Structure formats: structure tokens, C-alpha cells
Amino acid sequence: MILITGATGNVGRHLVTRLSAAGVRVRALTRDPEAAGLPAGVETVAGDLGRPESLEAALEGVDSVFLVWPFLDAEGAPAVLDAIKRRARRVVYLSSLGVDDRAERQADLINQFHADLERAIEQSGLDWTFLRAGTFAANTLGWAEQVRTGDVVRYPFAGQNAIIHEADIAAVAARALTEDGHDGAKYVLTGPEALTTADRVRIIGEVIGRTLRFEQTTAEAARASMLGDGWPPALVDALLSGPDDRPAEVTGTVEELTGAPALTFRQWVAERADAFR
């Protein structure tokens, strides 16, 4: 039995569907099972990583856990890992490509909590695998309203990114959860190509049959907009930090582990085209 946390999220939903279709026993953890909308036959249970005591029933009979951490710090991680260790033996953790093993402190809040989680898992005594994923393609949905209502996408970063399709993260996670030989691995997962923001905007336009253009806005304007939408200030600062001129890291790990080429950004846009129309 595999417990999937974040089961209704961008990666978790793909993973639940993939494992269930393969005949693997899956239990999906969600705060609201009635609203989960997961495939028929999937066992869906209520639980909240913010309340470790709520995990006991969900972990009954579980061997492995896919862990997605929904908080901006690792304060509650020890209690959650203790609950997992009482029942399971393996954790596959969805981490970040930006974690730097050489750094005493990470460059921003997001990579810091991922690094702290990794450290806590390493010290827990559980078998573990870390999936250090790059930027999710689903983040591009943040541009959808701009595309639906105009021909310009305004965004503060112009640089390259090797956007990864969430289904590829799920495909690697499924391997790590169901096969031997992945313990202690730190897999860096990216899409198959480095694209600038202008490239991504152009591809969206080509898929939906329109001419779109990218206009770089200032970090200050982006910060004001995000704060106005209610984003936590610490998260805004983390998202807007760091240089924008570094070449994107592109790895072949997805194909190496799954035997299939990583899905392209164009493929992801084709699947989600209605969101931009």
C-alpha cells in the first residue's frame, strides 16, 4: 500500500491515476475526500499534515509514502516523519531543483524549507528518495487570464527555464515507490529543453492559434500585484529573488528512469489549451 499526500495536487493526481491504473494499491490523503474527484476505486482518506495525529488511520498498512510538504517551513516535519516511521519504511519526497547541498543556508525561503525537510528525512531512519524537480508547467496557468483577455503576457523574469510536465514527475515517483534501487537517490528532474519566457509565450500562442508577445515587468510591479492578491510577503520575496540570467539546467533523468522522453512544454500547453482560450 502506498500513501499519496498532496493527492489532489498537480503531481499527486497524476501519480494516483498512474499507480491505480497499474494495479498498485493506493491510498490518497486529502483534507476533503468528498471533493477529491479521484479515479473510481481509489481509497481516499481524510488527513492533514498540519495535524500529525490525523495521519494514524491513513498510514495503517502502508509501506511507502509520497510526501509533498505544503508549508513554508519544516517546523512540523519531525512529528509527521515520526508518524510515518511507525507504519512505513520508505518516503519519496518532492523537493526542489534549487536545493544546494554545498550551502549552509539556501538562497531563499522555498529552497530552505526543502533542504530542511530533506535533512529531517535523512535523519529519520526511513529509506528515502528525493525528487528535486524544476519549475512545474502548471505554474504557467498564472498567465491564463492575461492570455484570455489580451495578447500580452507581463512577467518579471525573461530568462531560461527547463519547465517540467507534472506527469513526468509522477512517472519518476511511481518508479521510486514501486521499485528497488532508488534508496538514497537525489534525482534532478527537468523538462527536455531550456525555454525563455518569450519562447513559452510564443508556444502558447502557436498552440491556441494567436500571436502573443511577452513584456517584461519590474519585480516591484510583480510584488505589488502578488501582495494585492493576498500572497504571504515571505513567499513573494522568495519567488522574486535570485538572478534571471543563469542558463537553465537540463537533465535527462526522466528518460533515464522511465525509458520515455520527457514531455515538452508544447505538449503540456496542448493538453491545457482550453485554460488559455
Side-chain angles (χ1 to χ4, degrees):
M1 174 71 76
I2 297 173
L3 179 68
I4 309 297
T5 72
T8 60
N10 291 317
V11 176
R13 191 173 293 276
H14 280 291
L15 181 57
V16 168
T17 301
R18 174 179 287 270
L19 291 174
S20 178
V24 178
R25 295 178 65 207
V26 174
R27 183 175 293 153
L29 185 77
T30 176
R31 292 189 181 94
D32 186 0
E34 294 297 322
L38 294 169
V42 172
E43 182 184 358
T44 306
V45 297
D48 186 340
L49 293 177
R51 296 186 298 110
E53 69 277 6
S54 74
L55 305 178
E56 294 297 330
L59 286 163
E60 183 69 35
V62 165
D63 178 71
S64 300
V65 175
F66 178 68
L67 181 61
V68 178
W69 195 249
F71 310 111
L72 292 178
D73 62 58
E75 182 177 348
V80 170
L81 294 173
D82 284 346
I84 292 172
K85 188 177 178 181
R86 286 195 291 272
R87 303 285 187 177
R89 66 180 181 88
R90 175 188 295 172
V91 167
V92 175
Y93 174 60
L94 181 54
S95 187
S96 167
L97 175 151
V99 173
D100 183 352
D101 289 323
R102 302 163 298 179
E104 183 175 341
R105 294 290 299 175
Q106 301 299 312
D108 59 65
L109 173 73
I110 295 172
N111 286 308
Q112 186 62 55
F113 86 72
H114 280 300
D116 291 342
L117 256 295
E118 288 189 5
R119 187 175 303 110
I121 292 168
E122 288 175 330
Q123 296 171 353
S124 70
L126 289 156
D127 294 336
W128 55 265
T129 307
F130 299 151
L131 308 184
R132 290 180 171 175
T135 301
F136 292 5
N139 291 0
T140 311
L141 291 171
W143 300 345
E145 184 176 359
Q146 293 187 69
V147 174
R148 288 193 300 266
T149 59
D151 297 323
V152 180
V153 171
R154 296 175 177 85
Y155 189 65
F157 301 119
Q160 292 184 344
N161 216 316
I163 300 293
I164 186 166
H165 195 306
E166 294 79 15
D168 281 334
I169 303 173
V172 173
R175 295 276 183 159
L177 288 161
T178 60
E179 299 176 345
D180 293 328
H182 300 284
D183 292 344
K186 300 177 181 180
Y187 293 129
V188 177
L189 309 179
T190 75
E193 56 188 342
L195 299 171
T196 64
T197 303
D199 291 331
R200 292 159 61 195
V201 170
R202 172 182 51 78
I203 289 169
I204 294 170
E206 290 172 354
V207 170
I208 66 174
R210 289 171 50 201
T211 300
L212 303 177
R213 64 183 178 88
F214 162 59
E215 181 179 294
Q216 188 171 13
T217 188
T218 65
E220 289 73 19
R223 178 177 285 105
S225 176
M226 295 165 77
L227 291 174
D229 289 339
W231 292 51
L235 178 59
V236 172
D237 289 342
L239 291 172
L240 294 177
S241 66
D244 188 35
D245 57 356
R246 292 178 299 189
E249 180 176 3
V250 180
T251 72
T253 310
V254 169
E255 184 167 7
E256 292 166 10
L257 294 175
T258 68
L263 298 166
T264 66
F265 179 69
R266 185 180 294 272
Q267 288 172 288
W268 179 88
V269 175
E271 294 170 9
R272 304 301 295 269
D274 286 347
F276 296 97
R277 291 191 170 115

